[in-house]
Amino acid sequence: MRTVWGLSPVMMPSLPQLLLLLLGTTCQLGLAMPSEERHRLRNQVVEMFDHAYKNYMDHAYPADELMPLTCRGRVRGLEPSRGDVDDALGKFSLTLIDSLDTLALLNKTAEFEAAVRKVLTDVRLDNDVVVSVFETNIRVLGGLLGGHSMAVLLREGGRHMLWYQDQLLHMAKDLGLRLLPAFNTSSGLPYPRVNLRHGVQGPATRTGTETDTCTACAGTIILEFAALSRFTGDPVFEEHARRALDFLWEKRQRNSNLVGTTINIHSGEWVRRDSGVGAGIDSYYEYLLKAYILLGDDLFLQRFNIHYASIMKYISQPPLLLDVHIHKPLMPARTWMDSLLAFFPGLQVLKGDIRPAIETHEMLYQVTKKHNFLPEAFTTDFRVHWAQHPLRPEFAESTYFLYKATRDPYYLEVGRTVLENLNRFARVPCGFAAMKDVRTGSHEDRMDSFFLAEMFKYLYLLFADEEDLPFDVEDYIFTTEAHLLPLSLSTALRSAAPSADNNTVLPPAGEELDDSNFEWTCPNTRLLFPDPGFPRTLREPIRSAVDKSCHVASSRSEPGLGRAPLRARDFMASNPEHLELLRRMGVSLIHLKDGRVQLVQHATQAVSPVAAEDGMRFMQEMMELSSQQQKEQLPPRAVQIVSHPFFGRVVLTAGPAQFGTDLSKSTTGVQGSVVVAEPYSGCAELANGVLVAGRIALLQRGQCMFAEKARNIQKAGAIGGIVIDDNEGSSSDTAPLFQMAGDGRSTDDVTLPLLFLFHKEGNILMEALREYREVEVLLSDKARDRAALYKGKALPSYLQSSEDPDGHEGDCTAEEEDHAAPSPSTPVDQSQAAVGEPDELTEGEDEPGAEDKPEDSEGGEEPADDGDSNSQSIDSLLADWKEDLEAFQQMEKDEL
C-alpha cells in the first residue's frame, strides 16, 4: 500500500556505499534544478503542511479528521456514514497521531512537543467503537511508535523532550493489547474489526461475525507489532504478526506462488482469487521485504523473492501491472488498474529492480498529467475508470525513491508537478480537499490523515538537502503509513524462532530457486544503464503510448441479436403485461433505492426452454440499450467559486441539463455573480428581475419543470442558473448525479446554461453567499486553471505554477467518459424504462417521459467502463461487470 525507503543492517550496505552502487558516476539526464529552486519548493512543502495541519487543529481537533469544505471535524456518528471508510475513525484524534513524526521530520520541534502533550492529555483509547484492525495498526499504533522514536531521538539530543518518559510507548502497548483479541482465530489471521473497549465478543459488540479479510489487512501487521515487542520486551505482539504471515504464506497458490485478494480467516480458503499488487494485497508484499530489513530475518526476504519472481512473470507487463487469477496466472482478471499500485515502483527500487520501476512510474506520471491526479482506477488505455482521488501519496512516494536511486533531476520536476497540482486543484481555505472527480475538478469534503502522515514527508525529503534533515533517515525504515521505526530494533529482543515448517521455503514448482535472486539487493546502474541517457529512452515510448491513447472511443458495433417477443426499447416497468412476459421468460425485476430497476434472469425459472431463450435475448437487448443510453449521457459539470477568498479553490460537482448551453463546447464557460431568485422556486416571473439581470440565478428544486425555471430566469436577463436540491441532506457523495430533462416540448428557446447541485453542495454555495454577499462562480465542463481565471492578476504564491517540465499539456480529459458495462443483472433507469410514467423522484418537475438520468455513481455500486471494444463478447462483458463490481466493493473495504 504505502511504502518507504529503508536500509537493512543485515546484508545491506551503508548509504554512501549504496549511492556508489546506485550511481557509479553522477549522471545528468537533464538539466539540474538550481538549488535555489529546490529550496523554494522545500519551503513550499512546509507551508502546505502548515496550512493543512493548522486548519485541522483550528477547525477539527480533537475530531479524527478535518472536513475541509465545511471547515469542521469529522466525528464518527455525527456525520452520515461512509461505510467501511469510517472504520479508520476511532475518536482518538487520528490526524494528530498520524502527523507526529511528520512534525519532527519537518523540524517543527516545538509543534511536535506540543502535539505529544495533547496526545497524552486528550486522547483516549478505550472508546466503545468498532475500528479497522488494519487502519488502526498502521495509522494509530504506527503513529504512536513513530512519535515515540522521534521523542527518544530529541530527548537523547539533550535539548528537547527532556520530560518525556516513554508515555507514547505505554499508549502504544495499551492499543496493541486492545488489538490482540482480533487475532484469536484458529488460523491466526485477525478479524478485520475490533471494539476498542470490548474486543471481539460477537454481535453485541458488532465484531466477531466476519469471515473474510483482505490479504493486506492480515499481512500488514509485522512492522508495527514487531517494533512494539522489541521496544517493550514483550514478544506476544511479534508472535501474533508472524503467525498471520506464516498462514498467508502457507495458503499461497503453490503453482503460481501468488496470493488472492480476500481470504476466509477461519478456513483459509481464497474468497477472491484475483491477484495483483494494488488494493487488497499491496502492503503484504511491502511488509515481507521491509520485515527482512527491519528484523534481519532471511525468511522474509526468501518469501518476498519468490513472490516477486511470480509478480514479474505473470502480473508485470511493463509498464502495466494487471491482475491475474492465481490458479490461471496467464489469464488477466481485469482490464483496469487501481491507484494503490503506484507504491510498487518504490518497492522495486528497494528491491533493486530499477528498470521496470522507471517504466511503470513513467506510465503513472503520464496518466497524472492527463488528469492532474491519478484516478482511483484507470483502464489499460489510460482512461478514467473511477474518477475519485483522495489525495493518495503513493505516486509521490515512488517519485522520491526513484530520485533517491538515480539522482535524475527529472524526478524533481515530477515532484514539482505533484506539488503544484495540489495547490492549484486541491487547496481550499480550510486545508486540502480530496478530488471527487478528476475530470471536472470537483471536491469531496474529506482530508484523510494519511495526507499529512505521508505526502508531506515524501515531498520534503525529495526537495530537502541532507543538512535540512534533523536526523539521518537511513537509520530508519518507513512503514506503509510512512511512520519512522529505527533499524536498531534488529538487534533488540527477538521472538522465539518460528517452527521448522514455517522456515521451509519452497521454490516454484519444477524450478530451482535462483541464488542470484537473493544476492541482487542493491543494483549497480553502471551495469544496468551504461548510457546516462538510458532512463530517458525507457520513458519516451511510454509517454508516446499514453499520449496516443487520448482519442474518442469508437462506437461498438451491435452484435447480431435475434428479436424477442418483448423488445427492450418498448419495455415499461409499470406495465403489468410486460411484467408478466418477463416472469414467463424467467426475468425478475428488483426496485432499487435510487429509483432504478434491476433485471435478473434465471433461465430455470422460465416456463419453457423457448421462453428462457427469449429471456436471454431480451437481456442482451436491454444491455445494449443500457450501454447506448450511457453513451448518450452527459458527464458531470463543475461550479467553481472564483471570488475572494476562494479564488477557484472550491469546485462543486454539478449535474447537467439536457437543454440550454452545452458547456462542453464552451472554452471559457459562463462566469458571473450569483443571486437568489425571487421566488426561490423560479416558477413564476421574477420579482427581482433587475437584480438577476447579468447574473447567475440560484433556484430551489420543486413546484415546476426545470425548463420553466430556465425560461423565467432567462426572461429576467440571467446569464445562467443553478438549481439546488430541496431534499435536505442529499449529496453527490452518496447519490448519483442526474441530468435535468426538458418538459416534453421543444427547449430550443432556452439558451443559457442550467446546472444542478445537491443540497450539501448547494448549501456550501449559499453559506458563501451569506458570509461574503458578493460571490462569483464559473459554470463549466471542468474546473479551470486558476492562473488562467485571473488573466494576469496577482495571485497568492501557492496558486502560481511553472510550465510543465516536458512541455506537454497532457490533458485530454474532455473526451473521456466512463460507461457502465452491461451485465446479466442490468440496472435500468426506471423513469426511462417506464415510458410515459412520471418520475417520482423529481417532485413534479418532469412531465411524463422526462427523466432524471443517473450519472456514473461515485458511491461505487456500479463501476464505469468505456465498453467500446469491437471484439468484446457479451460473455466477457458480463464477466467484467461482475468482477468490476466485486473489486469496487473490496476496494471500498480497503478505503478507496
Side-chain angles (χ1 to χ4, degrees), residues 292-304:
Y292 160 69
I293 295 172
L294 180 66
L295 307 179
D297 190 335
D298 291 351
L299 176 70
F300 294 120
L301 177 62
Q302 293 167 357
R303 291 178 180 178
F304 172 80

Side-chain angles (χ1 to χ4, degrees), residues 710-726:
R711 291 188 178 101
N712 286 331
I713 63 172
Q714 181 173 287
K715 183 178 179 181
I719 59 174
I722 299 173
V723 178
I724 298 176
D725 194 7
D726 60 346

Side-chain angles (χ1 to χ4, degrees), residues 165-190:
Q165 298 296 322
D166 298 344
Q167 292 95 327
L168 291 178
L169 181 59
H170 300 324
M171 289 184 68
K173 184 172 182 179
D174 178 26
L175 181 59
L177 292 172
R178 294 179 185 279
L179 296 179
L180 276 185
F183 291 81
N184 188 23
T185 62
S186 58
S187 65
L189 299 180

Side-chain angles (χ1 to χ4, degrees), residues 638-644 646-652 654 663 668-675 694-698 719-724 753 755 757 761-762 764-766 768-769 773-780 782-784 789-790:
V639 175
Q640 189 171 11
I641 307 179
V642 298
S643 55
H644 172 82
F646 304 97
F647 297 113
R649 292 173 296 182
V650 173
V651 184
L652 307 173
L663 292 171
T668 59
V670 173
Q671 183 171 332
S673 298
V674 296
V675 61
R695 301 191 177 200
I696 296 172
L698 300 182
I719 59 174
I722 299 173
V723 178
I724 298 176
L755 298 183
L757 292 178
E761 287 76 15
I764 292 174
L765 184 57
M766 294 296 285
L769 186 60
R773 303 189 66 176
E774 281 294 328
V775 174
E776 191 173 347
V777 301
L778 172 67
L779 311 183
S780 60
K782 60 186 292 187
R784 294 294 190 259
L789 284 173
Y790 294 91

Side-chain angles (χ1 to χ4, degrees), residues 51 185 203 205 252 283 364 422 470 504 551 553 675 732 775 856 889:
H51 179 67
T185 62
T205 62
R252 76 193 186 282
S283 48
L364 295 169
L422 285 171
T504 303
H551 56 79
V675 61
S732 62
V775 174
D856 50 318
Q889 291 169 340

Side-chain angles (χ1 to χ4, degrees), residues 399-415:
T399 302
Y400 163 64
F401 285 153
L402 277 166
Y403 178 71
K404 188 82 171 179
T406 67
R407 294 295 176 183
D408 186 345
Y410 177 84
Y411 295 110
L412 295 176
E413 299 295 343
V414 174

